[in-house]
Amino acid sequence: MSPALQKLLITGASGFVGWNLCQTAAANWQVFGTTFSHPIALEGATLRKIDLRDHDAVKALFKQIQPDAVIHAAAAKDPNYCQENPIESHRINVDASVSLAGLCADREIPFVFTSTDMVFDGTSAPYAETAPVSPIHVYGEQKVLTEERILARYPAAAICRLPLMFGDAGPVAQSFLQPMVQQINTGATVNLFTDEYRTPISGRVAAEGLLLALGKTRGILHLGGSERISRYEFGRLMVETFDFKNANLNACLQRDVKMAARRPPDLSLDSAKAHQLGFAPAPIARQLRDLSSLI
Ligand SMILES: NC(=O)c1ccc[n+]([C@@H]2O[C@H](COP(=O)([O-])OP(=O)(O)OC[C@H]3O[C@@H](n4cnc5c(N)ncnc54)[C@H](OP(=O)(O)O)[C@@H]3O)[C@@H](O)[C@H]2O)c1
């Protein structure tokens, strides 16, 4: 008889990363996921609705599920929202994350935290794990603070810094791809920055990287893609890959668009450490072709 699968708790299962994680993890784990304001159902995972800011509720959930490992992908991830709501976003991005790490530390189980390339200001790319952090907005500051507090509380935790992501997103979440495809389909002009560079990966590749990190690494790990590309170049690549006939892409600059939070110009990640662990993202065009749907 094959041994029972270990239990993996994934927070943010209704979100873009958590949804991709639940699908990818189901082959090797008994998956438990959390949702909050979007109580979806997901084949292959047991989902629980919970407010992660409620520490007693999270403790009770741990007691009930007895997870063998945790990947924390729930967050307020919109920099503009965090800029305008610093106290509310702090509660989920910082407080809830550190208290989850504490519960994992008490049990000595693997814990992965999803951080971001936005811990940097974007002026000294490519960034390796050893580069000094330099956030330029509230969201980046919250992630830096959380990284520091998690590692102080639980040095065995893995802090995975994710780049810009695209791809299949489940019933309620989105990556930046879905609105872009909708705009193209309705004939709208898509404004894309030529002066903002990232190393994007798909949600599925991100899930593979996060699962790879689980229990195999501690401290900070960068999970960037293999290509440095501007938002505009990404749009062009997508249009070519899917042969959109009448796409109207407009090359523009960050300064052309008014936003609450400033945007770092180049957040390319050096992910050599992850490559050594076996993280090997395919070229972006290939990852785009691997998507199961565009909307
Ligand atoms: N997407 C990107 O391009 C990107 C890039 C770099 C890093 N990241 C990081 O990757 C992680 C996942 O991001 P994502 O794109 O998957 O975000 P997302 O699609 O916005 O999903 C956020 C998830 O967090 C949950 N959540 C929010 N507040 C909650 C609360 N109080 N209690 C419980 N759950 C709560 C949401 O649940 P409901 O929807 O059910 O309310 C949702 O499942 C985050 O840590 C983010 O900072 C994302």
Side-chain angles (χ1 to χ4, degrees):
M1 202 171 79
S2 62
L5 293 178
Q6 289 200 305
K7 295 179 202 167
L8 174 61
L9 176 62
I10 296 169
T11 68
S14 44
F16 172 71
V17 171
W19 184 83
N20 277 282
L21 264 170
C22 286
Q23 325 266 333
T24 309
N28 297 310
W29 295 86
Q30 186 182 353
V31 177
F32 293 82
T34 71
T35 65
F36 178 43
S37 55
H38 298 102
I40 59 164
L42 197 65
E43 212 185 311
T46 305
L47 299 191
R48 298 267 194 278
K49 182 176 182 297
I50 188 171
D51 184 348
L52 293 168
R53 294 168 299 185
D54 179 346
H55 185 64
D56 289 342
V58 180
K59 258 167 71 179
L61 186 76
F62 266 61
K63 208 168 162 195
Q64 188 192 25
I65 295 175
Q66 301 282 342
D68 297 296
V70 175
I71 302 181
H72 178 38
K77 66 124 183 253
D78 176 3
N80 293 326
Y81 171 82
C82 296
Q83 202 70 21
E84 287 164 352
N85 303 275
I87 296 169
E88 260 312 295
S89 53
H90 187 101
R91 290 180 63 213
I92 179 67
N93 284 349
V94 184
D95 299 339
S97 304
V98 179
S99 89
L100 256 179
L103 291 173
C104 294
D106 292 344
R107 287 165 179 73
E108 296 182 15
I109 58 173
F111 176 70
V112 171
F113 172 63
T114 54
S115 190
T116 172
D117 51 8
M118 292 201 192
V119 297
F120 299 115
D121 66 5
T123 60
S124 312
Y127 292 99
E129 288 82 354
T130 47
V133 291
S134 47
I136 61 169
H137 48 45
V138 168
Y139 171 68
E141 284 163 5
Q142 289 175 346
K143 288 291 193 181
V144 166
L145 185 62
T146 311
E147 290 185 352
E148 288 167 2
R149 289 196 183 164
I150 286 175
L151 288 177
R153 177 70 179 85
Y154 193 21
I159 306 287
C160 292
R161 290 186 183 145
L162 295 165
L164 180 68
M165 287 175 282
F166 58 90
D168 301 317
V172 292
Q174 280 195 335
S175 72
F176 71 94
L177 197 70
Q178 284 77 15
M180 199 155 102
V181 172
Q182 271 159 1
Q183 281 176 297
I184 291 173
N185 285 339
T186 58
T189 300
V190 186
N191 293 313
L192 292 168
F193 300 131
T194 52
D195 59 349
E196 181 178 312
Y197 286 86
R198 310 290 281 272
T199 40
I201 54 174
S202 73
R204 194 187 308 169
V205 169
E208 287 164 5
L210 292 166
L211 288 162
L212 194 65
L214 201 61
K216 292 198 194 66
T217 190
R218 56 195 287 156
I220 294 168
L221 187 72
H222 286 181
L223 294 176
S226 50
E227 288 151 280
R228 173 183 178 271
I229 187 168
S230 74
R231 292 240 180 202
Y232 180 72
E233 288 163 346
F234 185 97
R236 293 288 304 266
L237 185 60
M238 194 194 74
V239 165
E240 272 167 37
T241 306
F242 296 109
D243 200 19
F244 283 114
K245 295 283 183 244
N246 300 313
N248 188 6
L249 303 188
N250 177 45
C252 69
L253 300 173
Q254 288 183 340
R255 67 164 184 260
D256 297 335
V257 180
K258 193 169 157 30
M259 287 167 290
R262 281 202 295 140
R263 299 175 75 93
D266 186 346
L267 289 175
S268 307
L269 294 177
D270 172 343
S271 304
K273 185 177 163 189
H275 296 161
Q276 280 167 10
L277 283 179
F279 181 62
I284 296 168
R286 168 74 193 282
Q287 292 184 51
L288 281 169
R289 283 195 297 272
D290 282 349
L291 301 182
S292 57
S293 76
L294 268 183
I295 299 282

